[in-house]
Amino acid sequence: MGFSAKAAGSLFGLPSAFGIVALVAAGMVTDRLLRRGVPSRRARGLLGGVCLVVAGLLLTTLPLIHAALPAIAVLMLGYGISVTVNTFANPAVAELVPPAQRAGILGVFSGLSVSAGIVSPVIAGVLLDNATTPESGYTSAFLLSGVLLAVGGLFFALLVNPERDGYREPEAGG
């Protein structure tokens, strides 16, 4: 996009800043829906899945945008919306497991989640190193990220169902 290294470095924080806003907003919306009696399947599973699909679709459009401000806006929205998955996934996981195992399972889940922060830069680096031009490398990286997010979101929306799959206390005497 023609930014200097200093400007690019400054802009790097914008998607994360928007991600914080999106996390808080998603949590507020989900809490409000649950208080109104909306099933967790819809408030967490469907809404979380839709957020991931939208984020993925936004990121797949990045290679098509050649103007700086729209590209920054799409990147902020796509990345920011994608991190809301934690707002939906952690409570859904907590609903699925017995209380005695909840902390351990959430720890494992968090560990698996942050592993993307280790793996994704390596994959992006491989894509960039093997591309004929930096632009085609970034195009491949954003397309791969967007497609994985959208497909993951679709699976999230279809499969997350805490009411059906959640832990239920054993009945007394049974």
Side-chain angles (χ1 to χ4, degrees), residues 9 11 37 40 54-55 103 171:
L11 292 171
S40 184
V54 168
E171 293 184 26

Side-chain angles (χ1 to χ4, degrees), residues 124-148:
V126 168
L127 291 172
L128 287 166
D129 288 344
N130 291 317
T132 55
T133 66
E135 183 178 329
S136 67
Y138 282 109
T139 295
S140 297
F142 282 116
L143 287 175
L144 179 62
S145 296
V147 168
L148 288 175

Side-chain angles (χ1 to χ4, degrees), residues 104-124:
I105 296 295
L106 284 171
V108 169
F109 185 71
S110 292
L112 291 172
S113 297
V114 299
S115 67
I118 297 167
V119 175
S120 61
V122 173
I123 294 170

